[in-house]
Amino acid sequence: MPAPVLATFAFRSEPAPFRIDAMRAVRGAALAPAAYLAVHESTTTHALAPGAPEPLYVLRGSTGNLRYTKNDEKLALAKIPPVLGRAEATRASVIPIRKSEAWWDLPQDERRAILEERSRHITIGLDYVAAIARRLYHSRELGEPFDFVTWFEYAPADADRFAELLAALRASEEWKYVEREVQVDLTRA
Amino acid sequence: MPAPVLATFAFRSEPAPFRIDAMRAVRGAALAPAAYLAVHESTTTHALAPGAPEPLYVLRGSTGNLRYTKNDEKLALAKIPPVLGRAEATRASVIPIRKSEAWWDLPQDERRAILEERSRHITIGLDYVAAIARRLYHSRELGEPFDFVTWFEYAPADADRFAELLAALRASEEWKYVEREVQVDLTRA
């Protein structure tokens, strides 16, 4: 488990590596309109590099350790690691999510039971991992308006599989605790 | 579970609310010398307020949800919540800790087993909670040199109890995964 990656998602009006194709408030308030997205990564800071163009706004998150995954699930994940940056994966989505205070107030064992035993979150992700690469960024401890920023990459041919994955997660018991979710669909320039 | 508290621990040479009585590298590298500590809290930013005196250096952390605590332990903790800011608790310690990559690479179930079933971390904390108020700040996702900043407050009469608590934790299996720890003892001015 390497050091966390500190990611800053910069929403811009001027061209950047990802074009924003659609933005949709799935639950709760929308994000302000933007045309392009740049993703900045660092191991030490969420500050943008000096001289970088000023974005309209940013979302920030950091990768972290596995918070719910048991050993057998970790071994299954290790067999098919999600590969980010594949040449054919020209489509991407960034989906920031905030869960309710009721979720955060649950003890660890109850959150785990809802997330996996009853919602199959880890198992569902495994079903799609060969086609849909994804990465989870934690934002709650950064004072951000969302608890997580989720990132997905896939080839255009897998767009239907991606929609299936989102539908399966959104139909789960876990998603009853989601109070804000915005889906931003992207094409790599 | 309220929103996270974003804390910035500012180490200073000029007087501040806490005087530093001792600094000791328990494991790994020390921290640079300082004479005073100020603790800044916010729900939105780790940046110091404009106009605040420039510190020698800062450590940053955010409170978070319970990551290992099961429901029965949560109920036990709720009966005797640690009370910060008691008038008689004029002594404090701030102890930043970094764990090894081997720890962070463990799945959740193995970390839980080491932390509580084999090291009794939560139970030991409960034994002392009436005398020793404490708060855990998460730092790893902030790109900090430590994974956690731990904060303790106690009355001078409970100094021996505090030393006992630290000794019990440091003798545990969990502490084999601690690769850096610095103890900073404070008196409230």
Side-chain angles (χ1 to χ4, degrees), chain B residues 28-109:
Chain B
L31 284 171
Y36 296 94
L37 179 78
V39 184
H40 301 272
E41 293 190 347
S42 164
T43 58
T44 58
T45 180
H46 282 101
L48 294 180
E54 187 69 20
L56 298 168
Y57 57 93
V58 300
L59 297 177
R60 303 179 307 153
S62 300
T63 60
N65 59 296
L66 298 171
R67 308 253 167 116
Y68 298 98
T69 311
K70 292 187 175 177
N71 195 41
D72 54 340
E73 296 152 354
K74 182 168 182 282
L75 295 173
L77 280 164
K79 281 188 199 158
I80 325 171
V83 178
L84 293 165
R86 291 171 297 161
E88 69 273 25
T90 56
R91 300 279 289 274
S93 290
V94 60
I95 305 183
I97 288 172
R98 187 175 71 224
K99 285 181 170 174
S100 66
E101 291 310 302
W103 171 262
W104 294 111
D105 199 35
L106 290 173
Q108 176 72 20
D109 51 347

Side-chain angles (χ1 to χ4, degrees), chain A residues 77-100:
Chain A
L77 280 165
K79 283 188 196 158
I80 326 170
V83 178
L84 294 165
R86 291 170 298 160
E88 69 271 25
T90 56
R91 301 280 288 276
S93 291
V94 60
I95 304 182
I97 288 171
R98 186 175 69 224
K99 286 180 169 173
S100 65

Side-chain angles (χ1 to χ4, degrees), chain B:
Chain B
M1 185 76 43
V5 175
L6 281 58
T8 304
F9 299 86
F11 289 78
R12 302 189 183 282
S13 51
E14 299 300 316
F18 292 93
R19 188 186 71 219
I20 296 177
D21 297 322
M23 296 179 79
R24 180 167 73 92
V26 179
R27 197 170 300 181
L31 284 171
Y36 296 94
L37 179 78
V39 184
H40 301 272
E41 293 190 347
S42 164
T43 58
T44 58
T45 180
H46 282 101
L48 294 180
E54 187 69 20
L56 298 168
Y57 57 93
V58 300
L59 297 177
R60 303 179 307 153
S62 300
T63 60
N65 59 296
L66 298 171
R67 308 253 167 116
Y68 298 98
T69 311
K70 292 187 175 177
N71 195 41
D72 54 340
E73 296 152 354
K74 182 168 182 282
L75 295 173
L77 280 164
K79 281 188 199 158
I80 325 171
V83 178
L84 293 165
R86 291 171 297 161
E88 69 273 25
T90 56
R91 300 279 289 274
S93 290
V94 60
I95 305 183
I97 288 172
R98 187 175 71 224
K99 285 181 170 174
S100 66
E101 291 310 302
W103 171 262
W104 294 111
D105 199 35
L106 290 173
Q108 176 72 20
D109 51 347
E110 294 192 6
R111 275 184 281 110
R112 158 75 200 189
I114 294 167
L115 184 130
E116 183 55 20
E117 278 71 26
R118 304 202 315 250
S119 298
R120 300 183 64 252
H121 187 135
I122 297 165
T123 307
I124 290 170
L126 270 170
D127 289 344
Y128 290 87
V129 70
I132 318 289
R134 70 239 188 289
R135 200 178 215 183
L136 175 64
Y137 299 90
H138 299 268
S139 303
R140 184 173 168 80
E141 288 79 12
L142 305 177
E144 289 281 298
F146 294 93
D147 294 331
F148 307 98
V149 177
T150 61
W151 175 265
F152 303 87
E153 286 179 11
Y154 52 97
D158 288 316
D160 289 349
R161 294 277 290 157
F162 177 59
E164 267 177 37
L165 166 61
L166 293 183
L169 290 171
R170 287 174 181 157
S172 71
E173 179 182 347
E174 183 193 349
W175 244 250
K176 296 191 201 312
Y177 294 90
V178 171
E179 61 177 29
R180 190 175 177 198
E181 178 178 3
V182 180
Q183 181 170 343
V184 182
D185 296 322
L186 308 161
T187 296
R188 202 165 60 202

Side-chain angles (χ1 to χ4, degrees), chain A residues 77-159:
Chain A
L77 280 165
K79 283 188 196 158
I80 326 170
V83 178
L84 294 165
R86 291 170 298 160
E88 69 271 25
T90 56
R91 301 280 288 276
S93 291
V94 60
I95 304 182
I97 288 171
R98 186 175 69 224
K99 286 180 169 173
S100 65
E101 291 310 301
W103 172 262
W104 293 113
D105 200 35
L106 290 172
Q108 174 73 18
D109 51 347
E110 293 193 4
R111 274 184 282 111
R112 157 74 201 190
I114 293 167
L115 184 132
E116 183 55 21
E117 279 71 27
R118 303 198 322 245
S119 298
R120 299 183 65 253
H121 187 135
I122 296 165
T123 308
I124 291 171
L126 270 171
D127 290 344
Y128 290 87
V129 71
I132 318 289
R134 70 241 188 289
R135 203 179 216 181
L136 175 65
Y137 298 90
H138 299 267
S139 302
R140 185 172 169 81
E141 287 80 12
L142 305 177
E144 289 281 299
F146 295 94
D147 293 332
F148 307 99
V149 177
T150 62
W151 175 264
F152 302 88
E153 287 178 9
Y154 52 96
D158 288 318

Side-chain angles (χ1 to χ4, degrees), chain A residues 4 16 20 31 41 43 51 57-58 67-68 73 80 89 103 107 137 171 188:
Chain A
I20 295 176
L31 284 170
E41 293 189 347
T43 58
Y57 57 94
V58 301
R67 309 250 167 117
Y68 299 99
E73 296 151 354
I80 326 170
W103 172 262
Y137 298 90
R188 201 164 61 202

